[in-house]
Amino acid sequence: MQISCTAKPVIECAADSLVVFVPEYEKLTDGLLKSLNEATGGTVGTLLEAGEFCGKREEIASVMHPSGYNVDRVILVGLGTKKQVDSDTYRRAAGAASRCRGLTLSESAIFHLPKNAGEGFYQAVIEGYLLGSYKLLEFKTGDDKIDKNKLTRITFATDDKRVLGKVEKAVNRGVIIAEGQMSVRTLAATPGNYLTPSVLAQTAQKLARQHKLKCHVLDEKAIERERMGALLAVAKGSAEPPRFVVLEYNGGRRGEKPVVLVGKGITFDSGGISLKPGLNMHEMKGDMTGAAVVLTVIVTAARLRLPLNLVSLLPACENLPSGTATRPGDIVTSRKGLTIEIINTDAEGRLILADALDYADRFKPQVVIDIATLTGASLYILGYSGAPVLGNNPALLERIKKASESTGEKTWPLPIWDDHREQMKSGVADLVNSGGRPAGTIAASAFLENFVGGWPWAHIDIAYVDFEPKGRPYIPKGPTGIGVRLLTEVLSSWKKM
Ligand code: BES
Ligand code: MN
Ligand code: ZN
């Protein structure tokens, strides 16, 4: 995909399609719309008057051959009521447009946003377009492997020369972030037989070389030397050895404390001896989404040259039942020394995160944020609409909530109370890994909290929101890749904590 920006008037630009973003009930007084109405012999106005195209959210209409313009068609894309237009409105509109016939038949397109659109909206449009047109073709063969979408060139046309530089930067940022999010989708969709813990680690090493990150991979021996008993307890049932990936990006001052990100990397979660039901178990190939997110975010931070020090930790293994698997009732010793009674082998994510959070302490972190497909219970809190966030520091939770608003990746805070901490205490060991059904998402966080050092910490539970069951404007059915936009935004405006 070739993406560029220009301050040339639209009428001087040549392309197969011209995509125009239109607020609801826009009058034909807007310069470009008025001109296009004339160029189409009044057709644009007729569409508006007849109510065939009103500019409602994600509404789309095309008109062929506007005279005087060097384009085959104009594609009108609705934004909804002006009062509610935010960056996600643009992201959705561009996502909807990305799959419309007129555009997929085009090889080149000009995108035009309304006059007052800030650069954040340009970023959102390219994100929405790329994310909306995302397809995983890797595992197809023959004809099905060929992308039917012909579009390879997008030009953003602005009416104002003075903002061209800003628009270019915003579009470039959007491309980098969307590419990151798409790579998370691809990793999440890649099945357990392709993406083993070792392959995930190799992927991280390859990306680290490309983007000049430090990368260190602990193999099974090294993980044993670290005494990561909780991670090893999960890995035990599988023939695939675990890996623990450490990535470092130093964009900040020397000696400045890093932000540490931790991502759950279960390459397949069968539940282990506490086996999951068969229905939709295949979707548990996506249980490494958290790890893919923190891998991608550190790469994205490097690509955007963010001025901070960052560490990403990816504990990775597979959760399978076998003769060597951990049993319910087993007691294991975590790296920190706390003993854990395994009540349910399907509560494996918190075990591998426990050792990773404890390991994070060696970096003397400014803050630690972990992200994980941790609890099915989170579906009953915010549904598919957003991710619960928990932690020990209101200011950090507030930063995450703020980033939600500008990225459209919604999150909302939940508390951790002493009752929940009680729920995770064991009669025979220090902790249980499952405290039963009540407040499942909070209980899991209360467990993790035991492994947090004296630093601000936040935990983002992306179970279920990691996977879109139906398809939305810029989120096709399948893995969503949620978390990249959110965390990149949190880090982009980072102030020392
Ligand atoms: N990976 C699952 C959580 C999950 C469920 C993610 C559905 C995405 C969609 C996690 O390892 C798990 O199995 N959690 C259990 C914990 C329980 C046994 C305490 C759960 O939520 O049921
Ligand atoms: Mn599980
Ligand atoms: Zn899991």
Side-chain angles (χ1 to χ4, degrees):
M1 179 63 78
Q2 217 179 298
I3 295 158
S4 59
C5 301
T6 182
K8 262 202 316 200
V10 171
I11 197 143
E12 289 171 28
C13 299
D16 295 333
S17 287
L18 166 59
V19 180
V20 183
F21 292 86
V22 186
E24 196 171 349
Y25 303 121
E26 185 72 335
K27 298 270 160 17
L28 287 174
T29 47
D30 172 276
L32 182 61
L33 221 51
K34 187 169 170 229
S35 156
L36 286 169
N37 183 45
E38 284 156 16
T40 56
T43 304
V44 169
T46 310
L47 285 173
L48 286 167
E49 273 159 35
E52 198 169 324
F53 175 87
C54 313
K56 287 206 167 64
R57 268 181 172 201
E58 295 128 41
E59 201 176 28
I60 292 171
S62 3
V63 186
M64 304 300 293
H65 304 303
S67 72
Y69 282 82
N70 286 314
V71 299
D72 291 341
R73 71 177 71 68
V74 181
I75 301 173
L76 305 169
V77 185
L79 289 169
T81 54
K82 260 185 185 162
K83 271 173 278 165
Q84 285 167 17
V85 169
D86 60 13
S87 63
D88 213 46
T89 311
Y90 277 93
R91 210 175 277 112
R92 279 198 311 267
S98 73
R99 290 181 306 274
C100 85
R101 231 333 160 3
L103 201 52
T104 59
L105 287 170
S106 306
E107 284 172 19
S108 58
I110 302 156
F111 281 28
H112 185 274
L113 278 63
K115 250 201 263 25
N116 50 3
E119 64 260 28
F121 293 168
Y122 285 83
Q123 178 185 332
V125 166
I126 194 61
E127 286 175 1
Y129 174 79
L130 293 171
L131 294 169
S133 57
Y134 170 84
K135 273 183 229 77
L136 181 72
L137 300 170
E138 213 168 304
F139 299 102
K140 300 278 191 186
T141 65
D143 226 26
D144 290 348
K145 205 179 176 65
I146 299 160
D147 194 349
K148 307 289 180 292
N149 182 357
K150 292 215 184 82
L151 192 65
T152 56
R153 281 183 324 240
I154 294 176
T155 305
F156 284 87
T158 102
D159 300 321
D160 188 351
K161 254 201 216 77
R162 291 166 303 177
V163 300
L164 184 61
K166 271 194 188 171
V167 166
E168 270 170 343
K169 249 180 126 176
V171 168
N172 185 46
R173 187 179 154 82
V175 170
I176 290 172
I177 290 170
E179 282 176 355
Q181 183 165 353
M182 292 191 288
S183 76
V184 172
R185 288 179 181 175
T186 300
L187 286 167
T190 304
N193 62 331
Y194 281 79
L195 193 77
T196 61
S198 321
V199 172
L200 180 59
Q202 285 161 13
T203 307
Q205 279 170 318
K206 201 173 125 205
L207 284 165
R209 271 194 300 277
Q210 269 171 32
H211 299 282
K212 303 192 172 62
L213 304 169
K214 269 212 261 175
C215 181
H216 178 56
V217 176
L218 282 70
D219 62 9
E220 192 166 17
K221 279 268 147 54
I223 292 170
E224 280 166 7
R225 276 197 299 273
E226 280 292 333
R227 297 168 159 273
M228 292 185 174
L231 169 57
L232 288 164
V234 180
K236 260 176 78 181
S238 172
E240 289 293 338
R243 291 289 184 265
F244 190 97
V245 182
V246 182
L247 291 147
E248 288 176 62
Y249 162 70
N250 292 308
R253 277 189 299 102
R254 230 167 180 279
E256 192 175 275
K257 288 180 170 181
V259 172
V260 178
L261 304 177
V262 179
K264 170 177 172 182
I266 297 291
T267 57
F268 183 71
D269 181 13
S270 71
I273 298 292
S274 316
L275 196 63
K276 285 182 182 296
L279 185 71
N280 295 330
M281 195 207 271
H282 65 285
E283 276 167 15
M284 283 302 128
K285 67 181 178 179
D287 211 19
M288 32 48 68
T289 300
V293 169
V294 304
L295 167 59
T296 301
V297 168
I298 200 167
V299 166
T300 303
R303 294 185 72 189
L304 295 173
R305 298 183 209 289
L306 298 187
L308 82 170
N309 296 333
L310 200 57
V311 174
S312 282
L313 303 178
L314 289 66
C317 70
E318 191 173 36
N319 188 21
L320 290 186
S322 77
T324 60
T326 293
R327 293 156 285 257
D330 283 1
I331 295 174
V332 301
T333 304
S334 64
R335 180 181 186 275
K336 188 167 180 175
L338 289 172
T339 54
I340 303 164
E341 182 186 8
I342 310 285
I343 301 294
N344 188 323
T345 63
D346 198 10
E348 84 298 339
R350 61 198 74 184
L351 294 172
I352 72 169
L353 291 176
D355 281 344
L357 287 169
D358 183 43
Y359 188 85
D361 197 54
R362 67 191 276 148
F363 296 98
K364 301 198 171 29
Q366 224 184 107
V367 303
V368 177
I369 303 173
D370 80 71
I371 181 160
T373 46
L374 204 64
T375 64
S378 71
L379 178 68
Y380 304 102
I381 301 171
L382 302 175
Y384 289 99
S385 311
V389 183
L390 304 96
N392 61 5
N393 186 297
L396 179 57
L397 297 191
E398 190 53 38
R399 286 189 188 189
I400 294 171
K401 210 170 123 219
K402 263 250 166 65
S404 274
E405 286 158 19
S406 51
T407 59
E409 293 196 328
K410 295 200 191 79
T411 62
W412 204 263
L414 287 179
I416 306 172
W417 294 328
D418 281 344
D419 291 335
H420 306 118
R421 296 181 178 105
E422 283 303 316
Q423 206 180 326
M424 302 312 287
K425 287 191 177 148
S426 165
V428 286
D430 296 328
L431 297 165
V432 289
N433 78 326
S434 168
R437 308 234 315 185
T441 304
I442 301 179
S445 311
F447 176 88
L448 294 178
E449 197 189 48
N450 290 285
F451 301 90
V452 170
W455 12 269
W457 157 72
H459 158 66
I460 307 172
D461 194 334
I462 53 168
Y464 283 104
V465 289
D466 68 313
F467 191 89
E468 167 57 40
K470 291 197 213 109
R472 293 193 241 180
Y474 63 87
I475 313 175
K477 181 178 165 176
T480 59
I482 192 177
V484 176
R485 296 208 311 278
L486 179 73
L487 288 177
T488 303
E489 182 61 29
V490 168
L491 298 175
S492 291
S493 54
W494 190 258
K495 286 191 194 64
K496 225 165 123 190
M497 270 201 110

